[in-house]
Amino acid sequence: MEAPCLALLLFFATLLLLPQSSHGATRYYTFNVTTQNVTRLCTTRAIPTVNGMFPGPKIVTREGDRVVVKVVNNVKENVTIHWHGVRQLRTGWSDGPAYVTQCPIQTGQSYVYNFTITGQRGTLFWHAHVSWMRATLYGPIVILPKRGVPYPFPVKPYKEVPIIFGEWFNADPEAIIAQALQTGAGPNISDAFTINGLPGPLYNCSSKDTFKLKVHPGKWYLLRLINAALNDELFFSIANHTLTVVDVDAAYVKPFHTDILLITPGQTTNVLLRAEPDAGCPAATHLMLARPYGTGQPGTFDNTTVAAVLEYAAAPGHIKSLPLFRPSLPALNDTAFAANFSAKLRSLASPEYPASVPRAVDRSFFFAVGLGTNPCPKNQTCQGPNGSMFTASMNNVSFDMPTTALLQAHYANIAGVYTADFPAAPLEPFNYTGTPPNNTNVSNGTKVVALQYNTSVEVVLQDTSILGAESHPLHLHGFDFFVVGQGFGNYDSSKDPAKFNLVDPVQRNTVGVPAGGWVAIRFFADNPGVWFMHCHLEVHTSWGLKMAWVVNDGPLPEQKLMPPPADLPMC
């Protein structure tokens, strides 16, 4: 049999092996990764894009559908695409983080990602998962309910609009992080935030690059908010308008009203917006503003504000010389607002959408997360704290990325790629939010935690004050988890669990670990494979704030990882 025919047969055989959906359609996409000249802030850069678009194309699907995306790499850098928040049940080969579930797609090569949307509806997003490539390679994933299933809120939106927050760098982000890793210093910050790729009128040379949302009085709009920024959590508000939060991370929540919301990198939030019906409101333009919630050291984040415009459709003959309204946003370091906003999020926990939170726990973990240092190499000058190099760790282990993908090593029993001895708690406990220890150096290794199938897991994520208390948005691949508790200071295992919410905790894939505090999450390890867990501040991931979970196969056929596809990229 000729090679092309054999390859085709292998491809279709792989399709047949994948979990079948009894209801859904199959949706096909082709992502051509190409270089495109894009100008922002009067600076033109050749940036990686998908199909020449920045941000990239929108994937629209329904719960129960299969999504098949062929990614073709036409740029000089290696590429992978991660389908952020998609459960990837038994399809870990399509998850996308480089050297975790696959080797990258090299120049001139392609790879077909193939997965089914199971038990999720709302908004997710896709982005590159190699180094800092996701600075420009990202786009929305819209997951509609199954056909005939309504939204669980009484309002039918007149229109649905993705609102994607990003960052723009006048310099090449790859060069920025390469220099930082070489010198041990913090990387240069971005030059602007963007809304749907546009910085807006508050930046120099940017008034024409402004996103405008045109609305009709009295209509309801569903805004699908996505934080695709590299390194910044963001406050967001629309002048003179109240938002109703109805969904986060593709899971419905009990609706609540807010004038301001907080969204960390890696999180999504669906909100209902009502365009005011009275005649006075259309005679004005309302700014939509986002700026950072920054808890780290000054100078480590872009302290600017991105603006878009909410513009009412003008009545016939209406003069467009309109007053401009601007919302007020919390102070840069308003941790109390962040905690209060997070506490409002609750799962629907209804018969149709139950909160299946683990009531009992098989395996408990305590992860101290934060910054640290590595000694400066001999004969080199470093620009980190006291002449050292910045690094980051979980339980004092800074993760070393392997050169063979972890999932391949797990599936094929390849020795020497990783060790299954990631510590369940810090080996040397200390006062995590008090005076930092004198020795801030960390250890390095490629360590994972191995779990048996369907283990119920609790992880307490504790921020540390080493080099300053800081909020960390932690993202877990392959799972949604329930946020059962949070607090400030050091977690107290004798008192804090009594206050856990096991009835209607919010279901997420990314959670902000409070600055100077802790958060507790629970999940069932019901997805076989290897699953990355890391800070979604890209600089912290680059510094090693990451680890992985290995979930072994269960005894039944539908509890086992699928075999690797024939076109899986080679390292």
Side-chain angles (χ1 to χ4, degrees):
M1 184 180 291
E2 293 184 6
C5 296
L6 180 60
L8 200 61
L9 280 174
L10 284 170
F11 173 72
F12 283 112
T14 303
L15 286 185
L16 291 171
L17 282 169
L18 287 165
Q20 300 296 308
S21 167
S22 57
H23 306 291
T26 300
R27 299 174 185 264
Y28 295 92
Y29 292 86
T30 298
F31 277 18
N32 282 304
V33 182
T34 59
T35 300
Q36 187 80 15
N37 284 335
V38 172
T39 302
R40 299 288 186 268
L41 312 180
C42 284
T43 299
T44 300
R45 276 187 40 229
I47 66 171
T49 64
V50 167
N51 300 346
M53 301 168 63
F54 173 64
K58 175 170 63 177
I59 283 182
V60 180
T61 183
R62 289 187 181 274
E63 180 187 353
D65 285 355
R66 175 183 289 170
V67 179
V68 179
V69 187
K70 182 179 182 179
V71 177
V72 185
N73 183 10
N74 298 300
V75 299
K76 66 180 187 298
E77 298 89 359
N78 288 342
V79 168
T80 69
I81 301 293
H82 170 50
W83 317 93
H84 182 109
V86 172
R87 283 293 316 272
Q88 298 289 359
L89 289 167
R90 303 173 62 214
T91 54
W93 305 106
S94 287
D95 191 44
Y99 301 108
V100 178
T101 58
Q102 66 168 100
C103 300
I105 308 167
Q106 298 177 29
T107 305
Q109 297 183 349
S110 65
Y111 181 46
V112 176
Y113 293 90
N114 193 319
F115 51 89
T116 297
I117 304 294
T118 304
Q120 296 179 290
R121 72 293 298 172
T123 304
L124 297 171
F125 70 115
W126 58 264
H127 62 77
H129 216 302
V130 178
S131 188
W132 281 24
M133 290 284 283
R134 76 178 179 89
T136 60
L137 283 175
Y138 60 83
I141 302 176
V142 171
I143 305 173
L144 302 170
K146 291 180 180 179
R147 289 197 181 277
V149 178
Y151 290 126
F153 37 84
V155 174
K156 181 173 174 57
Y158 170 72
K159 191 176 182 182
E160 303 185 7
V161 184
I163 304 286
I164 314 175
F165 305 105
E167 287 181 271
W168 173 262
F169 294 81
N170 285 334
D172 178 8
E174 291 298 303
I176 290 173
I177 185 57
Q179 181 185 32
L181 294 176
Q182 177 68 29
T183 64
N188 291 341
I189 60 174
S190 57
D191 295 281
F193 295 109
T194 57
I195 291 179
N196 291 348
L198 302 170
L202 303 183
Y203 295 100
N204 289 334
C205 191
S206 192
S207 59
K208 66 176 175 39
D209 292 327
T210 301
F211 174 71
K212 293 183 178 180
L213 175 60
K214 295 190 177 182
V215 298
H216 296 274
K219 299 288 189 184
W220 286 90
Y221 294 81
L222 183 68
L223 305 185
R224 297 176 174 272
L225 308 177
I226 299 166
N227 189 345
L230 279 186
N231 290 313
D232 291 276
E233 304 181 59
L234 295 168
F235 295 119
F236 174 72
S237 184
I238 303 175
N240 297 332
H241 290 74
T242 297
L243 305 171
T244 304
V245 178
V246 294
D247 187 299
V248 298
D249 292 2
Y252 294 129
V253 297
K254 290 183 172 71
F256 67 93
H257 305 303
T258 185
D259 295 332
I260 303 162
L261 60 83
L262 174 67
I263 184 167
T264 79
Q267 289 183 342
T268 65
T269 305
N270 281 8
V271 298
L272 288 169
L273 165 76
R274 190 188 189 200
E276 297 295 339
D278 62 84
C281 201
T285 298
H286 304 265
L287 287 181
M288 308 159 62
L289 297 185
R291 78 168 181 222
Y293 163 52
T295 56
Q297 298 182 3
T300 59
F301 48 85
D302 177 353
N303 183 18
T304 61
T305 303
V306 58
V309 172
L310 181 74
E311 191 172 85
Y312 278 79
H318 188 68
I319 300 171
K320 281 211 163 187
S321 176
L322 304 177
L324 192 65
F325 290 106
R326 180 177 181 140
S328 59
L329 290 170
L332 187 72
N333 59 351
D334 194 340
T335 293
F337 177 92
N340 290 336
F341 179 80
S342 299
K344 293 177 184 176
L345 294 165
R346 291 279 189 270
S347 289
L348 273 187
S350 66
E352 297 83 7
Y353 305 102
S356 303
V357 57
R359 310 283 296 191
V361 174
D362 298 324
R363 300 279 304 273
S364 295
F365 299 88
F366 180 89
F367 289 177
V369 299
L371 303 186
T373 56
N374 270 332
C376 190
K378 289 183 178 180
N379 303 318
Q380 184 177 328
T381 301
C382 294
Q383 298 171 12
N386 301 315
S388 67
M389 304 186 77
F390 267 116
T391 188
S393 68
M394 302 173 73
N395 283 353
N396 207 49
V397 178
S398 188
F399 192 85
D400 287 334
M401 292 303 287
T403 53
T404 298
L406 297 176
L407 186 58
Q408 290 173 288
H410 165 66
Y411 185 81
N413 292 314
I414 302 172
V417 177
Y418 63 82
T419 56
D421 58 349
F422 187 90
L427 299 180
E428 297 183 18
F430 60 97
N431 182 0
Y432 303 107
T433 56
T435 303
N438 292 328
N439 183 4
T440 61
N441 288 344
V442 305
S443 64
N444 290 74
T446 308
K447 299 175 183 289
V448 307
V449 172
L451 297 170
Q452 294 306 307
Y453 181 83
N454 216 32
T455 299
S456 58
V457 178
E458 178 182 279
V459 187
V460 174
L461 299 162
Q462 172 74 60
D463 182 38
T464 73
S465 57
I466 296 174
L467 304 182
E470 191 164 358
S471 178
H472 299 278
L474 262 290
H475 172 49
L476 175 60
H477 291 228
F479 300 93
D480 283 346
F481 50 75
F482 291 94
V483 183
V484 297
Q486 65 173 29
F488 289 112
N490 294 340
Y491 173 73
D492 186 334
S493 60
S494 64
K495 296 179 180 177
D496 288 323
K499 295 176 282 190
F500 282 1
N501 174 11
L502 303 181
V503 177
D504 62 351
V506 69
Q507 185 174 331
R508 306 214 71 140
N509 62 62
T510 304
V511 65
V513 180
W518 57 271
V519 65
I521 66 172
R522 289 186 180 184
F523 63 95
F524 287 106
D526 58 358
N527 194 5
V530 178
W531 305 108
F532 208 22
M533 185 173 182
H534 61 96
C535 185
H536 225 266
L537 302 179
E538 204 63 41
V539 58
H540 291 173
T541 298
S542 299
W543 284 340
L545 211 169
K546 49 197 173 186
M547 55 83 66
W549 303 87
V550 172
V551 179
N552 291 307
D553 285 349
L556 302 177
E558 66 271 17
Q559 298 172 345
K560 298 184 187 302
L561 175 69
M562 288 291 166
D567 63 339
L568 186 72
M570 305 298 290
C571 286

